[in-house]
Amino acid sequence: DCQAGIANWEEGWNDAKKSYCCGIGGATCDPYDCQKSLATSDTTWSVQKRAWCCSNKHLGCPSGHANHPITTSLPFDCEAGKARWESGWSTNKKNYCCLSVKLGCDPFACNAGAASGWAEQKQGWCCDNKQVGCEFVKQVAAVVRFDCNAGYDNWEAGWHDDKKAYCCRKESKACDPYDCRLNGTRVPKSSWSATKTGWCCDNKQVACPSAVVTLPFDCNAGQAKWETGWSVGKKEYCCAKVAIGCDAFDCAAGIPEGWSHGKLEWCCETKNIGCSTTNGPVQFDCQAGIA
């Protein structure tokens, strides 16, 4: 919600929200809110904020320099050494001058020096982003620096970062942070670190821990005597899972003569088992012992 907290966006929003809300609903794309606390800018603003707001918004400038960039009491002089900013400026000076005067913002100065003498990384960045030095990038690309088949079975531990980057770019090998292959030439997955195992499982669906399901009850164990041998909890579980143990009594076990009166009544009424033909549940066998 780009309206929520907009009055305090500079301090109250995180970088992700600032980026999302940039230009939406009144939010700005500036690194500082130059309207907030303007009356007390001399004491409450940082030097970096005063420099940026004065230079870019003509706000917060020192007394006597209204509408002019700050020229005194600055942490860095962005005019000094700007021809060699890439190698001559500190990281803090680059950050400050990037914010205040838009100098030193790039990782490389693509207009300084001959491209033939640049590092490969600089040549690549300047070609991709500034279209400068591309002819040397093509020359380097034609040179075979590493054999991407040599040692490939052990690339994760055996290759250094330059070879991994080269072979990933050239042959799409060793691009991942881990080698997740599982075959006879690989280390057993039991020796992998937890971090590697997690990455390979999440990204390659390899070496994922087996799901071990522990059931609370074994519904096959003691099934023949479930009525008297199972607990109430097991009866409820097995009834729900495999439809065993759902009845109040097991009317298939034993003979009616040995059942309780409650079991006789229940089995007669619900299963039609153990009933007398005339008088309901059989309580006694009147033929037994009649002699």
Side-chain angles (χ1 to χ4, degrees):
D1 181 353
C2 296
Q3 293 300 314
I6 194 171
N8 190 40
W9 66 264
E10 180 184 347
E11 298 174 358
W13 288 3
N14 58 29
D15 290 341
K17 184 169 183 179
K18 288 177 183 177
S19 177
Y20 175 80
C21 295
C22 177
I24 299 175
T28 71
C29 301
D30 298 331
Y32 302 105
D33 183 353
C34 298
Q35 294 294 335
K36 184 178 180 182
S37 306
L38 179 60
T40 58
S41 60
D42 288 344
T43 57
T44 60
W45 287 7
S46 66
V47 174
Q48 289 87 343
K49 180 173 180 177
R50 292 206 314 272
W52 192 91
C53 289
C54 181
S55 297
N56 294 276
K57 302 294 184 180
H58 308 300
L59 296 171
C61 299
S63 300
H65 296 80
N67 298 327
H68 293 283
I70 298 175
T71 57
T72 59
S73 301
L74 297 179
F76 299 103
D77 180 356
C78 297
E79 289 296 316
K82 70 177 182 181
R84 295 174 59 85
W85 67 262
E86 180 187 343
S87 58
W89 286 4
S90 66
T91 300
N92 287 339
K93 183 171 181 176
K94 289 176 183 178
N95 292 338
Y96 171 82
C97 293
C98 176
L99 283 174
S100 58
V101 294
K102 300 295 189 294
L103 283 177
C105 300
D106 294 333
F108 303 103
C110 298
N111 59 351
S116 59
W118 294 349
E120 183 179 343
Q121 186 180 10
K122 179 174 179 177
Q123 289 176 341
W125 191 91
C126 289
C127 177
D128 292 342
N129 295 274
K130 304 293 184 179
Q131 292 73 54
V132 176
C134 296
E135 64 274 19
F136 297 100
V137 173
K138 294 176 182 177
Q139 291 175 14
V140 171
V143 177
V144 177
R145 297 179 56 203
F146 299 103
D147 180 353
C148 297
N149 291 317
Y152 180 57
D153 283 340
N154 191 39
W155 68 260
E156 182 186 337
W159 288 5
H160 53 72
D161 291 342
D162 285 347
K163 182 170 182 177
K164 290 177 183 178
Y166 175 85
C167 293
C168 176
R169 185 173 65 253
K170 287 292 186 181
E171 300 186 24
S172 298
K173 293 181 177 179
C175 299
D176 296 329
Y178 301 104
D179 183 357
C180 298
R181 294 173 301 162
L182 292 174
N183 55 51
T185 63
R186 306 305 311 136
V187 294
K189 64 181 181 181
S190 60
S191 67
W192 292 1
S193 67
T195 303
K196 176 175 179 176
T197 300
W199 192 93
C200 291
C201 178
D202 292 342
N203 295 275
K204 302 294 184 179
Q205 291 73 54
V206 170
C208 297
S210 300
V212 178
V213 179
T214 302
L215 300 178
F217 300 103
D218 179 357
C219 297
N220 290 316
Q223 185 180 135
K225 300 186 67 173
W226 66 261
E227 180 187 342
T228 57
W230 286 5
S231 66
V232 174
K234 182 171 182 177
K235 290 176 182 177
E236 292 176 348
Y237 174 84
C238 293
C239 176
K241 292 296 182 181
V242 294
I244 296 175
C246 301
D247 294 335
F249 300 98
D250 184 0
C251 300
I255 57 174
E257 288 84 350
W259 294 350
S260 67
H261 182 69
K263 180 174 180 176
L264 281 168
E265 287 186 339
W266 191 91
C267 289
C268 177
E269 292 174 0
T270 61
K271 303 291 185 180
N272 199 31
I273 297 175
C275 302
S276 158
T277 57
T278 58
N279 298 317
V282 175
Q283 298 185 38
F284 302 101
D285 183 355
C286 296
Q287 296 299 319
I290 193 170

